[in-house]
Amino acid sequence: MIKIRIPASTANLGSGFDSLGIALDLYNYVEIDFSDRCEISSKDGSEIPTGENNLIYVSAKKVFEKASKNFTGLKIIEENNVPFARGLGSSSACIIGGVFGANELIGKPFSKDRLLDIAAEIEGHPDNVSPALLGGLTVNVMEGNRVHYVKSEIPEELVFAAFVPPFELKTEDARKVMPKEVSMKDAVYNLSRSSLAAASFLSGKYENLKIAFEDKLHQPYRLPLIPGGFEIIEKSYEKGALAAYISGAGSTMMGIFDCGKQKANEIAKEILSSGNFEGWKYYILNADNSGAAAL
Ligand code: HSE
């Protein structure tokens, strides 16, 4: 049995739609072994698909197929700590758990880069699977079936306050509300900001992040699906956030702070007690710079 640890991730980072993502130190665990059938269970009592449509199973099977290995089934035991369908990369953690675990099982025929290509093909975009596999901040472009990326570490001074509402938001639904086409003006607005976001992370010029995270491609269309989301952004900035945004496709709202974990914890508590945020939870996290790992 092989045990894999996979980090949560926060994608888009405002303007970097489908491109930027950061791994976070909140983890799912997947134990995986050969079997003559599909055997899937959960350690944490969460309700998970236990059939052949399970995303870890599907992803692992894909690696067997790509490596031309005989596939008879798998035994999978999941421990899920990343909230489901909340914009914290729970699907990507499953995909990476599957592809990474299967690759380990069959003697590592694929490099991490090829695993990333396979994972991004399954997910359809690279901005969660890439940091979940590699850790840190990743800047990604998907060209055909290949992901071209740069990975960079994120220092401990950056603290991520994840505000998680009591409702799910499926990525599929959050993608449906977006326009099919955008104006040149909005395209330039976003490309200049996402370049600034990437360069500011790489150089440590964090004072740029507020402007760099502004976005015209997805957040204006998605915020109406997240009651309380806009208030979290406003309140986070009032409390000194470097950036505040929808994490991935939502429903989690994220604030990035540089005031230390204890202070960020106080701020998050204050924000959630200052309005109508019944049922919301928060996590105070750092980036994970290592990515998926076999334990
Ligand atoms: N870039 C993706 C989106 C992340 O915003 O739809 C969620 O999977």
Side-chain angles (χ1 to χ4, degrees):
M1 201 87 173
I2 283 168
K3 187 168 183 178
I4 313 293
R5 187 182 83 162
I6 316 104
S9 50
T10 178
N12 295 330
L13 308 183
S15 54
F17 180 72
D18 275 1
S19 173
L20 306 180
I22 294 175
L24 299 169
D25 62 355
L26 172 68
Y27 300 97
N28 281 357
Y29 297 86
V30 172
E31 289 171 66
I32 189 164
D33 206 351
F34 297 106
S35 175
D36 57 2
R37 57 188 185 280
C38 172
E39 297 176 75
I40 302 172
S41 58
S42 158
K43 260 191 176 167
D44 57 298
S46 53
E47 269 191 37
I48 51 156
T50 54
E52 291 186 7
N53 62 340
N54 176 287
L55 193 51
I56 301 173
Y57 191 87
V58 169
S59 308
K61 189 175 175 193
K62 185 87 150 187
V63 168
F64 275 70
E65 284 165 7
K66 296 240 181 211
S68 306
K69 293 277 180 194
N70 184 36
F71 183 82
T72 54
L74 285 168
K75 177 171 180 165
I76 291 171
I77 305 171
E78 302 183 16
E79 183 190 324
N80 294 299
N81 300 301
V82 181
F84 289 114
R86 297 294 203 286
L88 288 169
S90 62
S91 317
S92 291
C94 289
I95 295 170
I96 295 300
V99 298
F100 194 97
N103 196 49
E104 295 283 318
L105 268 185
I106 59 177
K108 298 196 198 177
F110 296 113
S111 66
K112 270 199 174 177
D113 284 9
R114 292 293 79 73
L115 283 184
L116 176 56
D117 297 338
I118 297 169
E121 193 187 328
I122 297 169
E123 177 82 320
H125 38 84
D127 48 335
N128 283 110
V129 286
S130 176
L133 178 65
L134 306 166
L137 161 76
T138 66
V139 179
N140 306 282
V141 168
M142 199 168 165
E143 172 70 31
N145 290 335
R146 290 293 287 273
V147 180
H148 303 262
Y149 69 86
V150 171
K151 177 209 161 171
S152 154
E153 299 208 345
I154 293 289
E156 238 185 277
E157 72 174 287
L158 295 188
V159 176
F160 296 77
F163 298 91
V164 184
F167 50 89
E168 295 185 350
L169 184 50
K170 296 246 157 55
T171 297
E172 198 190 332
D173 296 331
R175 288 179 91 87
K176 272 188 203 146
V177 298
M178 294 175 48
K180 297 263 175 297
E181 287 175 9
V182 297
S183 66
M184 177 63 88
K185 200 168 150 225
D186 287 356
V188 171
Y189 187 97
N190 265 68
L191 76 85
S192 52
R193 280 167 178 75
S194 65
S195 307
L196 186 68
S200 300
F201 274 120
L202 296 182
S203 61
K205 214 171 172 209
Y206 302 128
E207 66 270 25
N208 282 338
L209 294 182
K210 183 174 182 189
I211 291 292
F213 272 52
E214 285 172 355
D215 150 63
K216 296 220 187 239
L217 295 188
H218 69 111
Q219 296 188 111
Y221 306 98
R222 288 172 163 178
L223 272 173
L225 306 178
I226 309 172
F230 182 69
E231 279 167 84
I232 299 266
I233 292 180
E234 276 195 321
K235 287 175 193 278
S236 296
Y237 281 129
E238 275 167 26
K239 301 278 181 196
L242 294 168
Y245 61 101
I246 301 176
S247 181
S251 53
T252 292
M253 302 301 302
M254 191 72 80
I256 305 180
F257 293 87
D258 62 353
C259 55
K261 276 188 142 177
Q262 202 181 327
K263 180 75 184 158
N265 190 59
E266 283 166 24
I267 290 173
K269 223 185 260 178
E270 258 178 60
I271 289 178
L272 288 189
S273 57
S274 69
N276 184 18
F277 297 110
E278 215 186 310
W280 286 62
K281 292 196 299 192
Y282 69 90
Y283 296 81
I284 301 297
L285 303 166
N286 278 123
D288 163 284
N289 286 312
S290 335
L295 300 180

